[in-house]
Amino acid sequence: MPARFRFRAAHDRAYEQWATGVLAPYRITRALDAAELYGPEVDVACGAQEPAVDEWEAGTRYPSFEQLLALAALTHQSPDSFIARDGDEDLDLRDTTMWCHISKAERARWRPPITEFTAAAVEECPGTHDYRATHLF
């Protein structure tokens, strides 16, 4: 299969997954941290207004598919890398060897990862299945 068809198929799969509301906020945070991207410039680059990206990370606002694509390009990730995976709900840094490698200050600031968006966030995002079921007749 030619590369352009593989790309299109991957894009379509990412859209279908996004539409069901299965993005994981902590995966957004992890990608931004890995790319050392912070501040209002990230919102602008993703086609959003401050504090949208912070709300994505908190799980209280769901990004549009276009914003997800911009976030993926900005962080050099594939769009499906932001999809929740089996086991995400079990993540607890305190149960890993990584806990021993972070400073006391970092430990004090640590919070459990936010693994899913609120139902309201997904429902209010145009294009998602929840939005279509709730707002379109």
Side-chain angles (χ1 to χ4, degrees), residues 110-125:
W110 182 84
R111 299 288 179 269
I114 300 169
T115 58
E116 60 186 30
F117 282 84
T118 64
V122 176
E123 181 182 298
E124 294 168 5
C125 184

Side-chain angles (χ1 to χ4, degrees), residues 3 15-16 19 26 29-30 37-38 41-42 44 52 58 60 76 86 96 101 103 111 120-121 128-129 132 136:
Y15 176 82
E16 283 304 315
Y26 94 92
T29 301
R30 187 175 68 183
L37 296 168
Y38 311 97
E41 302 83 24
V42 175
V44 171
T60 58
H76 306 287
D86 286 339
T96 70
H101 298 284
S103 70
R111 299 288 179 269
T128 62
H129 294 312
R132 284 183 262 168
L136 302 179

Side-chain angles (χ1 to χ4, degrees), residues 1 3-15:
M1 177 184 294
R4 67 185 169 145
F5 293 122
R6 284 193 306 273
F7 175 80
R8 181 61 193 192
H11 180 276
D12 291 346
R13 279 191 308 275
Y15 176 82

Side-chain angles (χ1 to χ4, degrees), residues 70-127:
L71 175 67
L74 182 66
T75 59
H76 306 287
Q77 302 283 324
S78 65
D80 68 347
S81 67
F82 301 100
I83 303 299
R85 306 282 195 269
D86 286 339
D88 279 356
E89 65 278 357
D90 298 328
L91 292 172
D92 190 334
L93 188 62
R94 296 169 297 183
D95 295 333
T96 70
T97 57
M98 194 64 196
W99 189 251
C100 299
H101 298 284
I102 64 174
S103 70
K104 287 183 180 183
E106 290 172 317
R107 287 181 189 180
R109 289 190 308 269
W110 182 84
R111 299 288 179 269
I114 300 169
T115 58
E116 60 186 30
F117 282 84
T118 64
V122 176
E123 181 182 298
E124 294 168 5
C125 184

Side-chain angles (χ1 to χ4, degrees), residues 12-88:
D12 291 346
R13 279 191 308 275
Y15 176 82
E16 283 304 315
Q17 292 173 321
W18 165 84
T20 63
V22 297
L23 297 183
Y26 94 92
R27 290 182 173 274
I28 294 171
T29 301
R30 187 175 68 183
L32 291 169
D33 288 351
E36 298 181 352
L37 296 168
Y38 311 97
E41 302 83 24
V42 175
D43 297 82
V44 171
C46 291
Q49 292 184 351
E50 176 76 22
V53 175
D54 295 333
E55 293 170 342
W56 299 348
E57 292 183 86
T60 58
R61 181 187 293 189
Y62 200 70
S64 70
F65 188 66
E66 292 75 19
Q67 291 168 332
L68 173 64
L69 294 178
L71 175 67
L74 182 66
T75 59
H76 306 287
Q77 302 283 324
S78 65
D80 68 347
S81 67
F82 301 100
I83 303 299
R85 306 282 195 269
D86 286 339
D88 279 356

